[in-house]
Amino acid sequence: QVQPVESGGDSVKPGRSLTLSCQWSRNYYSTMAWFRAAPGKEREGVAGLYKGNAYYADSVKGRFTIHQDVGRNMVYLHMHNLTVEDTGRYYCATEGQTHWDHLGEYKYWGQGTQVTVSS
């Protein structure tokens, strides 16, 4: 499929871990990223892959890891020590350009998967 497809969203308690998955079938080595839209906030970049390097928003450094499995056409977002501030709808974006966290540079977006962190 052209559009990436996300899965793995869930409702969890603070401190727990969750892994999101994104499946796509085009341009395996393009810039790609995970974005999230928190309630009442604009969509923001969480983690991205550009030319083999991983990049993270300051708010998730040390807790989130982005991982690409080219053989399975998948990219994962491993999230640890989740907080209520991580609540939001997470989107996978593919075929980006130079700036991994610039929304306008991505060609394809998934429908998103919801992550809710609450006690």
Side-chain angles (χ1 to χ4, degrees):
Q1 68 281 359
V2 175
Q3 252 59 42
V5 179
E6 306 95 334
S7 61
D10 203 352
S11 294
V12 297
K13 294 186 182 299
R16 301 299 292 270
S17 298
L18 200 60
T19 293
L20 305 182
S21 302
C22 171
Q23 185 169 25
W24 87 112
S25 61
R26 286 170 54 93
N27 201 344
Y28 308 132
Y29 299 104
S30 72
T31 300
M32 55 193 318
W34 286 94
F35 287 77
R36 71 183 175 196
K41 296 185 178 180
E42 294 186 357
R43 198 174 298 191
E44 63 175 353
V46 175
L49 290 170
Y50 173 59
K51 291 190 175 182
N53 296 311
Y55 299 88
Y56 300 95
D58 288 343
S59 60
V60 307
K61 281 181 182 176
R63 299 189 299 120
F64 289 15
T65 302
I66 186 170
H67 169 235
Q68 183 178 18
D69 186 337
V70 175
R72 296 185 177 184
N73 298 347
M74 300 288 289
V75 62
Y76 302 97
L77 185 65
H78 305 286
M79 306 185 293
H80 303 287
N81 194 21
L82 286 161
T83 71
V84 294
E85 287 74 28
D86 295 317
T87 293
R89 191 162 187 84
Y90 284 70
Y91 298 87
C92 179
T94 62
E95 297 198 24
Q97 297 175 31
T98 303
H99 303 94
W100 73 270
D101 57 347
H102 287 200
L103 286 77
E105 294 192 9
Y106 287 90
K107 188 174 183 179
Y108 298 109
W109 291 82
Q111 295 298 308
T113 185
Q114 180 67 32
V115 173
T116 303
V117 185
S118 68
S119 55

